[in-house]
């Protein structure tokens, strides 16, 4: 994989700038399966992690 698109902002990034995110975090009972993962750029991933931690309303 060379490039990937962020599932949230839709922009294209180098693979090194993309994280694999668990849509339902493992810490919340999410499964480590294809249906529960998405690609997010670093800034969207950071924002989602904040949401997953319960700091703000979910934009996803
Ligand atoms: Zn993004």
């Amino acid at each position: 994989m060379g490039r990937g698109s962020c599932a949230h902002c839709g922009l294209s990034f180098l693979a090194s700038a993309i994280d694999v995110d668990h849509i339902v975090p493992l810490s919340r009972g999410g499964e480590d399966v294809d249906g529960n993962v998405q690609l997010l750029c670093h800034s969207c991933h950071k924002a989602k992690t904040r949401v997953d931690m319960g700091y703000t309303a979910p934009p996803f």
Side-chain angles (χ1 to χ4, degrees), residues 23-31 49-56 58:
I23 297 170
V24 178
L26 302 183
S27 61
R28 292 206 176 178
E31 289 185 79
T49 299
R50 268 205 301 277
V51 172
D52 290 343
M53 302 291 280
Y55 293 139
T56 178

Side-chain angles (χ1 to χ4, degrees), residues 1-58:
M1 76 188 240
R3 296 181 73 84
S5 296
C6 173
H8 182 56
C9 66
L11 298 178
S12 171
F13 295 89
L14 289 174
S16 60
I18 288 267
D19 291 329
V20 175
D21 173 64
H22 288 95
I23 297 170
V24 178
L26 302 183
S27 61
R28 292 206 176 178
E31 289 185 79
D32 195 13
V33 296
D34 283 353
N36 190 40
V37 295
Q38 63 185 350
L39 297 176
L40 292 178
C41 70
H42 286 177
S43 64
C44 289
H45 193 200
K46 219 188 279 181
K48 180 174 181 294
T49 299
R50 268 205 301 277
V51 172
D52 290 343
M53 302 291 280
Y55 293 139
T56 178

